[in-house]
Amino acid sequence: MAGITNAAYRRLCMEQATAQGGDGLFVCEMITSRGLVEGDATTRSMLVFDELEKVRSVQLYGTDPAYVGKATEILCADYGVAHVDLNFGCPVPKVTRKGGGAALPWKRTLLGDILQAAVGAAGRYDVPVTMKTRMGIDPEHLSYLDAGRIAEESGVAAIALHGRTALQGYSGTADWQAIARLVEHVTIPVLGNGDIWEAADALRMVEQTGAAGVVVGRGCLGRPWLFRDLAAAFAGGFAAEPLDPTTLPTLGEVRTMMHRHAELLCRHMGEERGCKEFRKHVSWYLKGFRAGGELRHSLALVDSLAALDALLAGLDPDEPFPVAELGTPRGRQGSPRERVVIPEGWLDDTDGTRLHLTEETTETTGG
Ligand SMILES: Cc1cc2nc3c(=O)[nH]c(=O)nc-3n(C[C@H](O)[C@H](O)[C@H](O)COP(=O)(O)O)c2cc1C
């Protein structure tokens, strides 16, 4: 997730999963193919990995097969990346207006060319390529089943489906039936995405859809222990329902997690930037807890680890987890768009190979 899954947060989530004897793939924030190929400094600065990351996994954005191929080559050759994911899920008008993100899979031939360029480059390093997409542009213009077939034909190792259209943005609920339909449609593994708020949701999704695994987005915001719960759930230590309240962290445990998060950010970015970066996570960590407005406000302005610890000391460590928060959305939601902005004539054909889509060097809106 753009702006969230930097090396520090990936490590924190990984620590949670491995403490439970589990694992998982923690994907680096998305970078653009063009940015990487042209040596853009911001793009390169995002390619930072923690020393504990055994599998370097990066998500690439791209609309031009040549750039995507070259970028994949650079990731594998220069950065020791062991998994490349291609993102075709971004619903943001700035991106779809140019035919990128969730609009791109409508152009089936172009999609195939991009996937093949990545798979060809990564194949020389034995690196698997996966893709992530939405159901389509809107209910009348779905592309996910074709995308699955094209992915399979292109040698893509797995496909992740976010069960929403671009029109839906992040609103409403994800359509898990679409995930089940894709599972039926392809032979490669399908990873389901959308509305995994608790570990029990992941078990339900896998059970209801036959997905080979799940992709977690907003559910982990301020909740790195979700990966501990997921590890326990998939190891069979968790009933799908009801959730065992004894596994929920008290505010004292959340406080420890907040400190660890900030500490890792400071280690990777330096104290000033690390603390600034941490600020956006405060409200997610404290969602539903009683912590007072003044304390929250001060935490959201924190500028040193010492100041953070002093403020965290003001939180009641024995306060139980606010169970009313369980299963509720966090992060981006909003309402459906009125229409998806796409280039004129975009829906007229499904080829797209003669198009020269302009790709920004930095694109940070994600999926
Ligand atoms: C802040 C934020 C940043 C995101 N960045 C990306 C991204 O870079 N790449 C991507 O594939 N999806 C990105 N997403 C989308 C999520 O990965 C996920 O597909 C979507 O939120 C639906 O899953 P969820 O219901 O579990 O959140 C982002 C979502 C949010 C809220």
Side-chain angles (χ1 to χ4, degrees):
M1 274 190 290
I4 310 289
T5 59
N6 50 32
Y9 199 57
R10 296 197 301 274
R11 169 152 176 177
L12 181 64
C13 295
M14 199 186 311
E15 283 176 352
Q16 290 295 307
T18 49
Q20 192 63 46
D23 212 336
L25 191 56
F26 300 91
V27 189
C28 176
E29 292 168 279
M30 184 189 84
I31 58 158
T32 71
S33 301
R34 192 175 147 210
L36 184 58
V37 171
E38 295 183 352
D40 173 66
T42 311
T43 305
R44 298 226 167 202
S45 71
M46 287 166 81
L47 286 169
V48 172
F49 301 91
D50 189 89
E51 76 260 16
L52 284 196
E53 269 180 291
K54 291 186 298 265
V55 180
R56 294 183 170 193
S57 167
V58 174
Q59 189 182 57
L60 263 186
Y61 174 80
T63 54
D64 179 327
Y67 273 116
V68 172
K70 274 188 208 143
T72 306
E73 169 86 31
I74 296 170
L75 288 178
C76 299
D78 301 351
Y79 290 91
V81 165
H83 164 233
V84 175
D85 183 54
L86 299 176
N87 182 6
F88 301 100
C90 186
V92 172
K94 191 170 83 133
V95 172
T96 56
R97 174 177 289 125
K98 289 178 288 191
L104 194 135
W106 183 259
K107 301 292 191 189
R108 273 68 166 174
T109 319
L110 176 60
L111 174 68
D113 288 351
I114 294 173
L115 297 177
Q116 280 161 34
V119 170
R124 292 192 279 279
Y125 299 85
D126 244 355
V127 167
V129 172
T130 58
M131 72 168 278
K132 178 163 178 274
T133 191
R134 287 190 178 232
M135 290 163 62
I137 293 173
D138 57 38
E140 283 76 48
H141 301 94
L142 299 176
S143 52
Y144 69 105
L145 294 178
D146 280 354
R149 174 184 52 78
I150 295 163
E152 192 167 273
E153 288 166 4
S154 305
V156 166
I159 177 167
L161 179 64
H162 176 189
R164 286 185 177 85
T165 60
L167 190 72
Q168 285 173 283
Y170 295 86
S171 67
T173 48
D175 179 356
W176 288 4
Q177 282 176 16
I179 298 168
R181 281 193 287 275
L182 184 58
V183 170
E184 288 292 308
H185 194 72
V186 295
T187 55
I188 54 173
V190 173
L191 307 175
N193 174 232
D195 301 342
I196 305 283
W197 308 111
E198 313 297 336
D201 297 327
L203 293 184
R204 275 195 304 115
M205 180 191 270
V206 167
E207 196 182 286
Q208 287 176 20
T209 64
V214 300
V215 173
V216 173
R218 296 164 297 170
C220 77
L221 296 173
R223 302 180 71 192
W225 63 87
L226 178 57
F227 296 99
R228 178 197 70 191
D229 293 352
L230 286 166
F234 282 109
F238 236 69
E241 310 283 349
L243 194 122
D244 177 1
T246 60
T247 63
L248 296 171
T250 59
L251 185 51
E253 287 162 316
V254 171
R255 193 168 81 174
T256 306
M257 211 87 70
M258 291 171 83
H259 170 85
R260 180 71 179 147
H261 190 172
E263 180 183 60
L264 287 167
L265 282 168
C266 293
R267 193 190 295 174
H268 274 285
M269 303 176 163
E271 188 158 356
E272 194 185 337
R273 235 190 94 210
C275 285
K276 266 200 188 134
E277 196 54 43
F278 180 71
R279 295 173 182 176
K280 69 171 117 170
H281 297 271
V282 169
S283 60
W284 289 320
Y285 275 112
L286 296 182
K287 196 161 178 264
F289 281 108
R290 278 198 309 267
E294 210 172 302
L295 184 55
R296 285 170 194 263
H297 183 71
S298 306
L299 279 165
L301 294 172
V302 74
D303 58 4
S304 74
L305 274 179
L308 176 71
D309 286 343
L311 290 166
L312 290 179
L315 296 170
D316 172 10
D318 298 323
E319 187 179 335
F321 190 86
V323 285
E325 280 304 317
L326 296 174
T328 62
R330 40 187 55 230
R332 289 178 192 168
Q333 287 154 58
S335 32
R337 291 155 214 276
E338 274 172 30
R339 65 185 189 94
V340 180
V341 189
I342 41 176
E344 213 177 303
W346 188 252
L347 300 171
D348 294 351
D349 71 83
T350 59
D351 180 45
T353 45
R354 275 196 292 273
L355 295 169
H356 292 287
L357 303 178
T358 39
E359 183 185 315
E360 306 284 337
T361 45
T362 50
E363 191 61 77
T364 52
T365 41

